[in-house]
Amino acid sequence: MNSEIATPEWDAIVVGGSAAGLSAALMLGRARRRVLVLDAGSPRNRFAEHMHGVLGNEGTPPSELVRKGRDEAAQYGVRFAEGRADSVEELPRGLRVVDEAGAAHDARSLVVATGIDDELPEIPGLAERWGESVLHCPYCHGWEVADGRLGVLATSPAALHQASMVRQWSERVVLFSAALGDLDPAFEARLRSRGVEIVPDPVEALLGEDRALRAVRVAGGREIEVDAVFTAGVPRPHDGFLERLGLDRAELPFGMGSFLGVDPMGRTSHARVWAAGNVVNPMANVPMVIGAGASAGAAANGFLVEEDFDLAQEAGRG
Ligand SMILES: Cc1cc2nc3c(=O)[nH]c(=O)nc-3n(C[C@H](O)[C@H](O)[C@H](O)COP(=O)(O)OP(=O)(O)OC[C@H]3O[C@@H](n4cnc5c(N)ncnc54)[C@H](O)[C@@H]3O)c2cc1C
């Protein structure tokens, strides 16, 4: 082994300590790796009071899952630091993560699980109801508003699919279609065949008491009564801090934009960097990102296992 190359302090740094990152950290910790989780503490679902569709954690508050996950990972020696990664640079046999406060953390491998921001439509009354009566996904929140008057606020062609989906949870669905322009008459007829109402006027505001929703006001002043609205923001991945590594990217469908490219285990185009969760797949819910995080953590450990043998052989042991 080249004795001039220092061994980094950590076997793995996991950037992002929510569902995906904690799952990766749990795998790495149980593999007896020295693991640091660096987390800025703002999971995507922090706007919702409860999580749904998460086996074993049905109805659990999002913050409770993070608390449990941290406790479980800590049992295996995983350490935690609060902060936001600002940049990552190469070391001879590893990577250096520098946080916004300027602290440097060196590791042999990196798992990125930093999630996304939902860039929401700029409509008065919308953002403050996000996660309560303005919802992103019927699998997560459809049951709670089932049989209510449900709106679907189109932001991209994917809304046509969303309107069909939401119809499964209620017979009273209104598609606010202004963002789509003229609809394909065949598809419009298909939606109407199951009673989906289509309102083409631009939406001006969402109205109601506190975080509850009462109505959607459209251009011309008409108010359409709804109990909840489903919509989609533009997903913005938290991956700018990786820029110096020049990782390969892939364009996702439905105008979701450019995301890090990964293999089925979450490995990026860099041999020491994995990415998992919403940062690479904005469509994934909590159980999906837990699975992806577990894959990435195991794959990072697999890489370290092989490197341990490589280093032993380089050192002439065997
Ligand atoms: C309103 C709402 C409600 C939802 N409800 C449900 C539900 O009921 N059921 C369900 O299954 N899914 C739900 N989801 C989806 C769920 O939020 C995501 O699937 C899940 O949070 C993705 O987990 P993640 O670990 O990939 O990212 P996140 O949970 O977003 O965690 C990313 C973590 O990385 C941190 N971070 C970001 N950048 C940096 C950086 N540079 N350095 C350090 N740390 C950083 C963040 O602060 C955060 O703690 C909901 C989403 C929304 C928007």
Side-chain angles (χ1 to χ4, degrees):
M1 181 165 51
N2 183 344
S3 57
E4 299 196 348
I5 298 178
T7 304
E9 181 181 2
W10 303 102
D11 290 321
I13 293 179
V14 178
V15 186
S18 178
L22 290 172
S23 180
L26 183 63
M27 295 299 275
L28 284 156
R30 286 181 50 77
R32 311 175 71 199
R33 295 296 176 185
R34 302 162 303 154
V35 184
L36 177 71
V37 176
L38 174 64
D39 183 39
S42 299
R44 181 184 175 203
N45 54 359
R46 64 190 179 281
F47 304 96
E49 281 182 24
H50 302 104
M51 291 182 314
H52 296 285
V54 186
L55 187 67
N57 285 285
E58 189 49 32
T60 301
S63 58
E64 178 64 9
L65 183 78
V66 170
R67 189 195 62 71
K68 278 167 65 177
R70 285 176 73 113
D71 286 353
E72 287 169 4
Q75 284 172 33
Y76 303 104
V78 171
R79 305 286 291 274
F80 294 89
E82 281 176 32
R84 186 173 292 278
D86 188 48
S87 64
V88 178
E89 60 196 65
E90 300 264 5
L91 299 174
R93 278 200 182 117
L95 297 154
R96 171 164 294 166
V97 179
V98 180
D99 69 20
E100 280 183 343
H105 310 278
D106 296 349
R108 296 168 62 196
S109 67
L110 182 64
V111 178
V112 178
T114 44
I116 58 171
D117 266 338
D118 294 283
E119 196 177 286
L120 299 174
E122 286 190 18
I123 293 174
L126 190 145
E128 54 268 42
R129 296 188 169 87
W130 182 238
E132 177 68 25
S133 53
V134 178
L135 305 167
H136 79 300
C137 157
Y139 290 107
C140 299
H141 306 290
W143 179 275
E144 284 63 42
V145 295
D147 294 328
R149 296 160 305 182
L150 304 181
V152 174
L153 173 60
T155 55
S156 80
L160 294 174
H161 170 65
Q162 202 177 23
S164 311
M165 285 283 286
V166 169
R167 175 62 183 78
Q168 172 61 18
W169 278 267
S170 179
E171 292 179 356
R172 296 181 291 169
V173 176
V174 185
L175 171 63
F176 297 96
S177 66
L180 305 176
D182 290 338
L183 296 184
D184 172 1
F187 201 84
E188 197 171 328
R190 189 172 168 79
L191 287 176
R192 289 195 200 282
S193 73
R194 295 201 69 214
V196 175
E197 192 186 333
I198 297 166
V199 174
D201 315 278
V203 170
E204 283 187 348
L206 272 53
L207 311 170
E209 280 290 303
D210 298 324
R211 297 190 77 208
L213 192 57
R214 177 180 60 75
V216 171
R217 193 178 72 224
V218 296
R222 185 177 156 215
E223 290 184 8
I224 293 123
E225 297 208 337
V226 290
D227 302 308
V229 158
F230 287 87
T231 194
V234 180
R236 302 288 185 208
H238 299 140
D239 57 18
F241 66 99
L242 297 163
E243 201 175 342
R244 280 196 211 168
L245 298 181
L247 302 175
D248 288 353
R249 303 186 72 86
E251 197 68 28
L252 295 192
F254 301 121
M256 285 190 285
S258 162
F259 280 66
L260 294 173
V262 289
D263 77 6
M265 295 296 281
R267 195 180 210 163
T268 68
S269 55
H270 191 293
R272 293 183 187 273
V273 182
W274 283 259
N278 278 174
V279 72
V280 289
N281 179 5
M283 308 282 278
N285 67 1
V286 169
M288 294 176 195
V289 307
I290 289 174
S295 291
N301 179 58
F303 164 80
L304 294 170
V305 164
E306 292 305 321
E307 189 179 54
D308 287 337
F309 280 98
D310 292 344
L311 292 173
Q313 288 199 311
E314 270 179 44
R317 296 195 295 268

